[in-house]
Amino acid sequence: MSAPASTGVPILRLGDVLVTGLLNELDDKTAVAFADELTERISADRARGVLIDISRLEIIDSYVARMLMELTTMSRLLGARVIVAGMQPPVAITLVELGLQLTGVETALNAEQGMAALGWHRSPQAPEGVSRDAHR
């Protein structure tokens, strides 16, 4: 079995969570390749969570919406929870106007909230002038 072709969409690993994002221009061929690459990474990295940042996505069509639902289902079958973060209001409006529901897709207002939902939390900031190493 060969590895899927890279789509050029970065997929970063933070612990057991994969973080990626969709760009504004995502054609059907790239969407399929992205789904293949991401599911391979979930399996290979044994990821338990995936954050897909769509904050740069200005428009969405029915194909990309269906791809997000299928990707979520595939990821869930592989044991990973998917959070789609950063949906812009025009994208949400378009989905409603098209009568599309992202069934089974969890959403978060932004990437920070999505990461928190996946179990990642920001470390408290050390007071100004105090090094984190000062308490060790």
Side-chain angles (χ1 to χ4, degrees):
M1 189 164 123
S2 63
S6 176
T7 59
V9 178
I11 301 173
L12 307 173
R13 180 179 175 172
L14 296 173
D16 54 3
V17 174
L18 298 178
V19 180
T20 187
L22 296 182
L23 303 175
N24 196 28
E25 297 178 23
L26 188 67
D27 59 51
D28 295 357
K29 185 177 178 181
T30 304
V32 170
F34 173 70
D36 288 346
E37 185 176 0
L38 187 57
T39 53
E40 280 292 324
R41 287 287 306 271
I42 290 168
S43 179
D45 294 347
R46 298 177 188 224
R48 68 165 187 78
V50 177
L51 178 82
I52 302 174
D53 183 358
I54 63 167
S55 61
R56 294 182 64 191
L57 204 62
E58 295 176 0
I59 57 172
I60 191 167
D61 61 17
S62 60
Y63 184 81
V64 173
R66 191 176 74 234
M67 187 269 306
L68 283 173
M69 289 188 296
E70 291 175 356
L71 186 56
T72 299
T73 301
M74 289 184 281
S75 300
R76 197 177 309 125
L77 289 171
L78 293 170
R81 179 180 173 197
V82 175
I83 304 283
V84 174
M87 185 179 300
Q88 297 297 315
V91 171
I93 291 168
T94 300
L95 289 173
V96 170
E97 288 176 350
L98 292 173
L100 299 173
Q101 298 178 7
L102 295 179
T103 305
V105 177
E106 291 182 71
T107 59
L109 190 58
N110 55 45
E112 185 176 1
Q113 288 183 0
M115 290 301 285
L118 291 170
W120 280 79
H121 299 282
R122 252 172 69 176
S123 299
Q125 294 286 330
E128 196 168 311
V130 176
S131 169
R132 287 180 181 228
D133 295 332
H135 299 290
R136 293 183 184 175

